[in-house]
Amino acid sequence: MKYNVISHFGHPYHTLESDYTKVPFKCDGCKEVGIGSCYNCNDCNYDLHMHCAIPSPSITHPFYTKCSFQFLARPPGNEARYCNACEKDITGFVYHCMKCGFDLHPCCAKLPMMLDDGEVKLYLYKKVSAPCHRCGRKGRSWSYRSTCKKYNLHVACVKEMLIESWHEIYFGNGGGNSRKLETRIPSLKGTLQTHHRKSKGKVLKCCEVAAFALQFVISAVLGDPTTMIAGVVGSLMSK
C-alpha cells in the first residue's frame, strides 16, 4: 500500500507528503543522512526517510534470531548507544531489542540482504573474515560481500565515507543551507589499488566493478536501494 500524504507523531503540526530528491538530506527522525524517496513538510523543512516515516512497530532480523526489535522515537536510557550494524551513534529513531540490548538505525535494520547491480551480487553478512576494501581490516561491522568474494565493504566504512564528505549535513544546524553543500562522495579507486597486486588493466577493471557495486551499497545505507538512486550516487562520486 502506498501513502502520498501521512500524519506523523514526530511532526504533528502538518501532514507529510511523499517526495523524491536527488539532493542529500538529514532525516529529522533518525538523524542520519538520506537521499531518494522520503516524506517531508515543505513549510517546516522537516524530512524523514521512508523507513522512519512509516516504521514497523516491531521487527525481527535474520542476524538476531532471538531478538524482537521495537521501534522507539528515542534511544532508551541515559547512556550513549550505538547501532550494531554500522557502529555509529544512535541519536534518534531506533529499533531496540529490550531483551538483548541491541540497537539498529531504521535504515540499517532494513538493509537488503542482497544487492544486485547487474554485474556483481552483494550479500549482507554480520561478519566476514576477509579484509574490507575501504579500511583493510577484518571483522568490525556488518559487511556487503560479493558472490565471487573479491569485494568486501563494511557498512561502518560506507557510513564513514559519507560522514567525511557530508560533515555539515550530519553535524550542521540542519538549516536550508545543507541543500547547497558540496555533495561529492570519494571513490574507492585509490584504496582498491593499494589492496591489489595485479596488472594495471586488471586493477582498473576491479576498481570499476567495485566502484559500481559501492554505488548500490551507499544507496542502501541512505535508505533507497534502487537502481535510479545508485545512478545518482554514482554521479556524486569523485572521479
Side-chain angles (χ1 to χ4, degrees):
M1 184 175 181
K2 295 183 178 180
Y3 301 82
N4 294 321
V5 179
I6 63 170
S7 297
H8 196 277
F9 68 88
H11 191 69
Y13 313 107
H14 305 105
T15 57
L16 304 180
E17 296 185 4
S18 60
D19 196 7
Y20 174 87
T21 175
K22 294 182 179 180
V23 180
F25 65 88
K26 183 174 183 178
C27 176
D28 290 288
C30 66
K31 314 304 181 185
E32 297 291 303
V33 170
I35 197 171
S37 299
C38 62
Y39 276 87
N40 63 36
C41 173
N42 291 324
D43 293 334
C44 303
N45 193 28
Y46 186 88
D47 303 282
L48 292 176
H49 289 114
M50 295 290 289
H51 298 313
C52 293
I54 311 175
S56 303
S58 63
I59 62 169
T60 57
H61 198 281
F63 289 167
Y64 303 98
T65 56
K66 297 181 179 179
C67 293
S68 176
F69 292 88
Q70 308 299 313
F71 179 81
L72 302 177
R74 60 183 62 84
N78 298 319
E79 296 182 1
R81 307 193 69 86
Y82 71 94
C83 175
N84 288 91
C86 70
E87 296 188 335
K88 304 309 173 190
D89 292 341
I90 298 284
T91 57
F93 293 177
V94 61
Y95 281 105
H96 174 72
C97 176
M98 298 181 182
K99 178 181 178 181
C100 302
F102 295 137
D103 298 286
L104 297 173
H105 288 123
C107 286
C108 289
K110 299 302 179 85
L111 284 173
M113 297 303 292
M114 191 271 285
L115 293 170
D116 186 354
D117 68 7
E119 189 168 356
V120 177
K121 288 186 178 180
L122 301 162
Y123 291 87
L124 187 64
Y125 289 86
K126 187 177 180 181
K127 185 176 291 187
V128 296
S129 58
C132 169
H133 278 97
R134 169 67 174 176
C135 69
R137 289 184 287 168
K138 301 178 181 179
R140 204 184 181 192
S141 71
W142 292 5
S143 299
Y144 274 105
R145 186 179 190 181
S146 63
T147 308
C148 63
K149 300 182 180 180
K150 292 181 180 178
Y151 315 111
N152 302 286
L153 278 172
H154 290 138
V155 173
C157 288
V158 174
K159 274 286 185 75
E160 287 173 359
M161 291 173 65
L162 297 175
I163 292 174
E164 289 169 6
S165 299
W166 298 341
H167 187 274
E168 286 301 318
I169 302 180
Y170 273 94
F171 302 109
N173 57 21
N177 291 334
S178 65
R179 296 185 179 274
K180 299 180 181 179
L181 293 172
E182 173 66 38
T183 55
R184 286 199 163 187
I185 305 168
S187 72
L188 282 179
K189 185 174 181 180
T191 304
L192 282 170
Q193 289 177 344
T194 65
H195 287 285
H196 292 279
R197 298 292 181 266
K198 301 177 182 179
S199 66
K200 184 176 180 180
K202 290 183 178 180
V203 170
L204 180 60
K205 178 61 177 177
C206 175
C207 294
E208 290 175 350
V209 174
F212 195 49
L214 173 63
Q215 296 173 25
F216 277 80
V217 176
I218 291 177
S219 65
V221 169
L222 291 174
D224 195 342
T226 60
T227 301
M228 184 178 296
I229 286 300
V232 172
V233 168
S235 70
L236 299 179
M237 293 175 70
S238 304
K239 305 299 183 182

